[in-house]
């Protein structure tokens, strides 16, 4: 056994989910409305999702049983504040029970306060474009931090805010479904930046816990003769830079990466860069995942290094990294390569504190519906029965030994 692939003491290994994608029946949210409109690109509605709302105890016990020590899950604003200014104590108590279940199993809980969805009442005000959005987000963060903060290890304010302006105002693939509305997209981005600033400050001052933003940082690669342009991916990447600037003030930054996108002199040349056709048949090949992305686990290293360049010294958590595949051996190979990138970053002195795979469960993949299978665990759609895949115990064995090479040799 070599020393190659060793992780430091206390390194966090886990898996992530988000509220809307697993809880089920998030009927008071903008996404629920969006999924039920025939004019949207959604393949199917989320329905009962994975019924995580009722099955969280078993899921957390299962995650701990694999050998993982960290769980990232979301709290849902549309449930916590079902009408403007009305906070549900029962819902907050529900999320406390989830946090308590994590602690009972020795699991470090990482909580996402906002993962794409908004309460319907806020959508009616104008969604992220509404001038009152940052202050409303601050108040929600404050309430949730007071109620839950003593049990939370890390708080993620906004998940992947860099994409919310373009997907909702330029591409029309997310609510509110506008297209080519540049002013709207800019307003949304400005408000999201302010919302992160205010939300993180509220969480810090009310609960004294580390707060940060989680960003998708795909590896954008330009070939000779290619010039940066203004595709939505490139616009999002610029927005990520603004969030990374803000993250210098934070206690951590969440890094998320799935693939790379290449650009040639003639423009984008990677599969999967075009979001407009989510209802197409998903076809996985040797080189592409079910999402249509290029199989490229090395993207994680570039994402970590980019975050580190802008925010040197700010601890990094890999809050999402994963593959949608029907072939679990491919998932193991993908995670193995991605974790080797993490080890290389650690060897270069970059402060990566944890790695969370996306996702614990096969879940609702937004406009793509339930077709992509990202999970360490498969979920039967009618009975919600969980079927752990070999990748779950493989990642758990890496977590237990904190050694990559030992596990890879025996896998
Ligand atoms: C999002 C998740 C999503 C995952 C896989 C990330 O962009 O945070 O909600 O399911 O990627 O596509």
């Amino acid at each position: 056994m070599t020393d190659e692939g060793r992780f430091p003491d206390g390194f966090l290994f886990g898996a992530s989910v988000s509220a809307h994608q697993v809880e089920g029946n998030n009927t008071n949210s903008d996404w629920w409305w969006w999924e039920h409109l025939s004019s949207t690109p959604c393949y199917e509605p989320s329905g009962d999702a994975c019924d995580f709302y009722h099955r969280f105890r078993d899921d957390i016990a299962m995650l701990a049983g694999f050998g993982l020590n960290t769980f990232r899950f979301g709290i849902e604003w549309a449930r916590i504040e079902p009408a403007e200014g009305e906070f549900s104590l029962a819902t907050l108590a529900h999320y406390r029970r989830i946090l308590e279940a994590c602690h009972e199993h020795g699991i470090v809980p990482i909580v996402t306060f906002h993962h794409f969805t908004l309460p319907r009442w806020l959508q009616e005000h104008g969604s992220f474009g509404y001038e009152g959005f940052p202050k409303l987000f601050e108040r929600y963060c404050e309430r949730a931090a007071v109620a839950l903060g003593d049990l939370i290890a890390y708080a993620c304010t906004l998940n992947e805010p860099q994409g919310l302006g373009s997907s909702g105002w330029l591409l029309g693939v997310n609510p509110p479904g506008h297209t080519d509305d540049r002013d709207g997209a800019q307003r949304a981005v400005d408000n999201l930046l302010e919302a992160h600033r205010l939300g993180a400050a509220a969480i810090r001052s009310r609960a004294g816990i580390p707060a940060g933003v989680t960003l998708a940082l795909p590896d954008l690669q330009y070939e000779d003769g290619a010039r940066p342009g203004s595709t939505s991916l490139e616009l999002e990447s610029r927005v990520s830079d603004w969030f990374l600037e803000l993250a210098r003030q934070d206690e951590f930054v969440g890094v998320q990466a799935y693939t790379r996108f290449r650009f040639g002199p003639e423009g984008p040349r990677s599969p999967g860069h075009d979001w407009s056709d989510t209802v197409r048949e998903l076809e996985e090949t040797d080189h592409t995942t079910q999402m249509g992305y290029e199989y490229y686990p090395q993207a994680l290293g570039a994402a970590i290094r980019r975050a580190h360049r802008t925010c040197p010294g700010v601890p990094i958590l890999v809050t999402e990294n994963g593959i949608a595949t029907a072939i679990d051996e491919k998932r193991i190979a993908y995670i193995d390569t991605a974790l080797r990138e993490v080890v290389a970053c650690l060897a270069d002195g970059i402060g990566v504190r944890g790695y969370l795979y996306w996702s614990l469960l096969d879940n609702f993949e937004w406009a793509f519906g339930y077709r992509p299978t990202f999970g360490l665990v498969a979920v039967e759609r009618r009975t919600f029965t969980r079927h752990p895949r070999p990748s779950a115990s493989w990642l758990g064995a890496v977590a237990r030994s904190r050694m990559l090479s030992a596990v890879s040799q025996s896998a």
Side-chain angles (χ1 to χ4, degrees):
M1 193 190 305
T2 69
D3 215 26
E4 181 205 346
R6 181 178 287 286
F7 294 86
D9 275 355
F11 192 85
L12 302 174
F13 284 98
S16 292
V17 296
S18 86
H20 187 77
Q21 292 176 271
V22 297
E23 284 183 340
N25 298 301
N26 189 17
T27 57
N28 192 36
S29 69
D30 59 345
W31 259 89
W32 185 269
W33 159 82
W34 179 249
E35 291 155 25
H36 289 86
L37 291 182
S38 57
S39 55
T40 71
C42 294
Y43 184 75
E44 58 190 332
S46 55
D48 289 318
C50 303
D51 194 28
F52 176 79
Y53 200 84
H54 301 106
R55 291 164 199 259
F56 67 87
R57 280 182 210 289
D58 290 347
D59 286 337
I60 291 165
M62 175 175 69
L63 172 122
F66 298 147
L68 300 175
N69 56 34
T70 311
F71 183 43
R72 171 174 173 246
F73 69 95
I75 55 175
E76 182 56 58
W77 191 354
R79 295 186 198 270
I80 291 177
E81 191 177 355
E84 185 171 354
E86 283 181 30
F87 289 84
S88 163
L89 299 179
T91 303
L92 288 166
H94 168 79
Y95 289 123
R96 265 195 93 76
R97 288 191 288 273
I98 302 186
L99 288 160
E100 282 160 2
C102 289
H103 288 283
E104 277 159 29
H105 290 280
I107 297 294
V108 173
I110 302 180
V111 172
T112 311
F113 281 52
H114 179 271
H115 196 126
F116 296 174
T117 50
L118 285 178
R120 284 291 296 276
W121 58 263
L122 184 44
Q123 181 201 5
E124 280 156 20
H125 281 316
S127 184
F128 307 114
Y130 170 51
E131 60 189 4
F133 164 68
K135 293 297 280 178
L136 289 167
F137 183 67
E138 177 187 36
R139 181 176 65 180
Y140 155 68
C141 287
E142 202 172 289
R143 288 295 182 103
V146 169
L148 309 171
D150 57 319
L151 298 177
I152 298 175
Y154 292 89
C156 310
T157 54
L158 300 165
N159 180 71
E160 299 190 351
Q162 87 292 326
L164 296 173
S166 60
S167 57
W169 277 265
L170 298 180
L171 302 175
V173 294
N174 277 13
H178 300 199
T179 46
D180 300 323
D181 177 357
R182 291 209 159 229
D183 292 345
Q186 189 60 54
R187 260 198 313 278
V189 169
D190 290 343
N191 284 342
L192 285 157
L193 287 160
E194 181 65 0
H196 168 64
R197 226 187 328 250
L198 294 177
I203 293 167
R204 237 170 246 137
S205 71
R206 290 314 188 110
I209 48 177
V213 65
T214 62
L215 296 171
L217 300 172
D219 188 2
L220 305 191
Q221 297 183 357
Y222 295 88
E223 293 170 6
D224 283 350
R227 292 231 309 272
S230 53
T231 61
S232 58
L233 278 167
E234 291 167 299
L235 294 176
E236 289 178 18
S237 182
R238 271 168 233 155
V239 178
S240 287
D241 283 334
W242 301 336
F243 275 99
L244 285 171
E245 292 288 333
L246 282 187
R248 290 176 174 187
Q249 314 303 322
D250 292 340
E251 289 76 31
F252 75 96
V253 57
V255 165
Q256 315 195 151
Y258 290 87
T259 190
R260 71 174 166 185
F261 294 100
R262 298 161 77 192
F263 296 83
E266 70 297 341
R269 43 170 304 179
S270 286
H273 72 90
D274 181 4
W275 278 88
S276 57
D277 186 15
T278 49
V279 291
R280 72 187 144 77
E281 280 308 306
L282 303 188
E283 201 193 324
E284 182 176 9
T285 69
D286 284 351
H287 307 293
T288 57
T289 75
Q290 289 170 330
M291 296 293 284
Y293 298 153
E294 180 182 355
Y295 176 91
Y296 191 70
Q298 295 86 341
L300 184 57
I304 293 171
R305 288 171 198 283
R306 175 172 170 193
H308 176 69
R309 267 196 308 278
T310 314
C311 319
V314 177
I316 292 175
L317 281 174
V318 176
T319 37
E320 287 182 26
N321 172 251
I323 177 171
T325 179
I327 307 161
D328 199 50
E329 297 81 50
K330 202 164 158 187
R331 188 182 333 275
I332 292 175
Y334 181 97
I335 305 174
D336 184 272
T337 304
L339 283 175
R340 282 174 202 282
E341 294 285 331
V342 174
V343 169
C345 290
L346 287 166
D348 288 347
I350 302 178
V352 188
R353 300 290 163 82
Y355 171 91
L356 286 93
Y357 178 78
W358 181 274
S359 173
L360 176 65
L361 305 171
D362 282 350
N363 62 39
F364 179 69
E365 182 53 37
W366 306 109
F368 290 90
Y370 289 98
R371 297 167 300 162
T373 50
F374 277 96
L376 298 173
V377 176
V379 178
E380 274 183 39
R381 292 287 340 123
R382 298 187 71 79
T383 61
F384 311 109
T385 309
R386 275 57 168 155
H387 298 286
R389 299 190 166 108
S391 51
S393 37
W394 180 88
L395 185 58
V398 175
R400 284 199 169 103
S401 63
R402 284 188 292 104
M403 270 302 275
L404 202 48
S405 45
V407 175
S408 301
Q409 281 158 20
S410 58

